[in-house]
Amino acid sequence: MTTLAIAATGVARRQMLLAAGLAATLPWSQGFASEPAPRRTMDGSGLVTPEGVALDKAVWFGRPLVLVFWATWCFYCQRHNARLDALYQSSVTHAIGVLGVTLETDALAIRAHVHRQQWHFPVAMADQKFRSQWTDRQVVPLTCLVSANGELLNRVPGEMSLEDVMSLGDSLTGSRPKIRADS
């Protein structure tokens, strides 16, 4: 085998591995793929705002909630959370709550990231113990649908389209929020 053929084989193999890796991380199905949700109830302990204050229970209890685990370094989280922000802003009465939770601990970096992204929904920091209430998977973004009484209804791993995010309103309240013209 010539050096050129060996190099071409290496490039082709790397391209195939890259394509296989991407295929494993992208949602290819119509609509969003969800996981069965085990019976778990959110207690909110361990949730702290980036300002260092314990998260008020009113943020996550008493109405359906879209809880998303995200990270500042995750490009998919940025797009996904922009769509969740559209959902949050479209619910004029905030009948649906949205809460972003990160396991990161650099509060200053988190605040700066949220400010740069111009997200309006509440954001909290939590430890691994809080995340393990919801899943053992380490994928971000991970979106959890939580009932008004704090019960986990469903989990959706990975980035979702705007249409799928907006359909979360259907799943939680039975009515689809309208997308604002400036969203």
Side-chain angles (χ1 to χ4, degrees):
M1 211 175 212
T2 67
T3 307
L4 185 57
I6 293 170
T9 303
V11 169
R13 186 176 314 135
R14 283 192 299 272
Q15 288 172 339
M16 283 180 22
L17 289 172
L18 177 61
L22 286 173
T25 62
L26 296 175
W28 293 102
S29 65
Q30 290 286 51
F32 56 87
S34 60
E35 305 182 330
R39 289 282 185 206
R40 298 190 180 146
T41 303
M42 182 170 172
D43 66 7
S45 63
L47 291 174
V48 178
T49 68
E51 291 75 29
V53 179
L55 191 67
D56 184 2
K57 187 175 181 175
V59 169
W60 58 266
F61 192 78
R63 62 185 167 167
L65 177 70
V66 178
L67 171 71
V68 62
F69 290 96
W70 63 279
T72 58
W73 49 263
C74 173
F75 176 74
Y76 301 106
C77 296
Q78 291 175 28
R79 293 189 310 206
H80 181 72
N81 288 358
R83 296 168 187 146
L84 285 175
D85 193 59
L87 173 68
Y88 179 77
Q89 291 189 62
S90 70
S91 178
V92 177
T93 61
H94 294 289
I96 302 168
V98 175
L99 175 62
V101 176
T102 181
L103 302 182
E104 296 174 55
T105 57
D106 186 344
L108 185 59
I110 294 166
R111 285 194 308 264
H113 184 78
V114 170
H115 179 74
R116 262 192 320 276
Q117 298 301 320
Q118 299 180 0
W119 297 334
H120 299 90
F121 58 86
V123 171
M125 301 182 308
D127 56 16
Q128 186 61 40
K129 181 181 175 189
F130 178 82
R131 182 177 175 114
S132 67
Q133 292 177 25
W134 305 102
T135 186
D136 295 330
R137 296 181 66 182
Q138 296 303 308
V139 66
V140 288
L142 175 72
T143 305
C144 300
L145 304 181
V146 182
S147 71
N149 65 357
E151 183 180 331
L152 176 61
L153 302 172
N154 208 345
R155 294 181 298 209
V156 184
E159 180 182 5
M160 297 167 63
S161 69
L162 178 60
E163 183 175 328
D164 289 340
V165 166
M166 297 310 280
S167 74
L168 295 175
D170 289 337
S171 300
L172 291 170
T173 65
S175 65
R176 186 177 193 139
K178 302 289 184 217
I179 301 172
R180 289 182 14 189
D182 61 345
S183 294

